[in-house]
């Protein structure tokens, strides 16, 4: 009897409540949507740019189409349909000093990363992207947004070593392609750090729609300069090309949807969740690149990326531990403040009681 009653009593506590279960399912749904869209955009861009597939090797033009599409949709959503409100603190001076540099870095990052798909395999590009935490941390230390820690730097060196081993084992290594991808990583890391310095520190938080509203037109204008000088003459000579509205329309829509998915994932979960999901996405892309696109993935590739993966996993784990420690410290401080307020209120109440008794 006693055992059965105890089991009955503990059964409800071992089951998840509907609200918690719903939250978990939604989190996994957001992760799945982001992985799917990110996966789709990467493979779609590779398909368009690769000379052996769709054979349209114009990365600036492709990025220009994306930015033009995103700018148009963002302006419609903000100005016509008024889906979101613009931050009142965004002045012309702040736009020029903060948004324009971020837009310039974003255009360079997109240009170089799309260019790399012409020279490198999808799998190897994902391996090189493992250097992103190294770049973000190094630039953060340089701009004094992060404090230098020998343990963190040792972890960064482990990631770098793993990527170097993966590069050594790459069957179709292309120096120019690696240079383009590393440049894209450097520009993107600098952009992420500058967002913290120029916008977040000033209390300006932009969601993807307002981000695209401000940044996409800026990127479009920046990309026009190299496009006119580098790719436009070649496009004029290529008279056989006819603009495929279905291919470029669906590709641009996927790129726009990916920006919204980033907001959905980070807003409903956390940036750390996106980092962890990014590791899963990279492994899926490597498997897809090897099995479907038939890119060569060597054992040395996998060993090197495995080392880098362990370093990135440890880095994400350290960040999670840091977030938990800060959250615990914040709760402890709130509890201390509540306790201090309670004691102060009790003392004031005791003093009032004594004064009433003396007057009586």
């Amino acid at each position: 009897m006693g055992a059965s009653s105890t089991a009955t009593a503990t059964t409800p506590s071992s089951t998840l409540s509907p609200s918690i279960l719903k939250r978990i399912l939604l989190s996994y749904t957001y992760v799945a949507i982001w992985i799917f869209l990110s996966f789709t955009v990467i493979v779609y861009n590779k398909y368009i740019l690769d000379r052996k597939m769709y054979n349209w090797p114009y990365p600036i033009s492709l990025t220009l189409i994306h930015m033009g599409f995103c700018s148009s949709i963002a302006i419609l959503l903000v100005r016509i349909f008024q889906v979101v409100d613009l931050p009142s603190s965004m002045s012309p001076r702040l736009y020029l000093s903060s948004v324009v540099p971020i837009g310039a870095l974003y255009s360079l990052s997109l240009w170089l990363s799309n260019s790399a798909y012409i020279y490198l395999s999808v799998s190897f590009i994902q391996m090189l992207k493992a250097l992103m935490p190294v770049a973000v941390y190094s630039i953060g230390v340089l701009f004094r947004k992060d404090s230098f820690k020998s343990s963190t730097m040792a972890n960064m060196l482990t990631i770098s070593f793993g990527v170097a081993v993966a590069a050594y084992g790459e069957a179709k290594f292309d120096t120019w392609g690696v240079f383009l991808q590393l440049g894209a990583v450097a520009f993107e890391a600098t952009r992420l750090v500058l967002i913290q310095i120029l916008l977040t520190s000033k209390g300006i938080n932009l969601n993807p729609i307002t981000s695209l509203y401000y940044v996409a037109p800026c990127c479009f204008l920046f990309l026009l300069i190299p496009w006119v000088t580098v790719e436009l003459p070649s496009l004029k000579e290529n008279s056989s090309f006819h603009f495929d509205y279905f291919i470029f329309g669906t590709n641009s829509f996927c790129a726009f949807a990916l920006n919204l998915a980033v907001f959905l994932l980070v807003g409903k979960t956390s940036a750390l969740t996106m980092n962890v999901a990014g590791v899963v996405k990279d492994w899926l892309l490597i498997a897809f690149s090897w099995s479907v696109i038939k890119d060569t993935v060597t054992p040395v590739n996998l060993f090197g990326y495995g080392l880098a993966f362990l370093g990135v996993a440890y880095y994400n784990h350290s960040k999670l531990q840091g977030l938990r420690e800060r959250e615990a410290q914040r709760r402890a401080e709130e509890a201390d403040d509540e306790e201090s307020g309670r004691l102060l209120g009790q003392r004031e109440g005791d003093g009032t009681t004594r004064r009433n008794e003396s007057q009586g």
Side-chain angles (χ1 to χ4, degrees), residues 290-310:
W290 171 73
S291 61
V292 179
I293 305 178
K294 302 302 180 183
D295 288 331
T296 303
V297 179
T298 67
V300 179
N301 270 149
L302 294 176
F303 175 74
Y305 184 66
L307 288 177
F309 163 74
L310 291 175

Side-chain angles (χ1 to χ4, degrees), residues 123-165:
S123 58
F124 187 44
I125 286 176
Q126 304 317 304
M127 295 177 190
L128 292 175
K129 284 183 179 179
L131 287 171
M132 183 60 74
V134 180
V136 171
Y137 177 73
S138 301
I139 294 171
V141 171
L142 185 64
F143 282 94
R144 297 182 179 179
K145 288 300 294 180
D146 275 313
S147 57
F148 178 84
K149 295 180 181 178
S150 56
S151 58
T152 305
M153 184 52 68
N155 186 31
M156 297 298 110
L157 291 174
T158 301
I159 297 173
S160 302
F161 177 73
V163 172
V165 172

Side-chain angles (χ1 to χ4, degrees), residues 74 86-88 90 95 99 206 209-219:
L86 296 174
S88 57
M90 182 62 74
Y95 182 84
V99 176
L206 303 177
I209 296 177
T210 53
S211 294
L212 290 174
Y213 176 80
Y214 286 120
V215 176
C218 181
C219 288

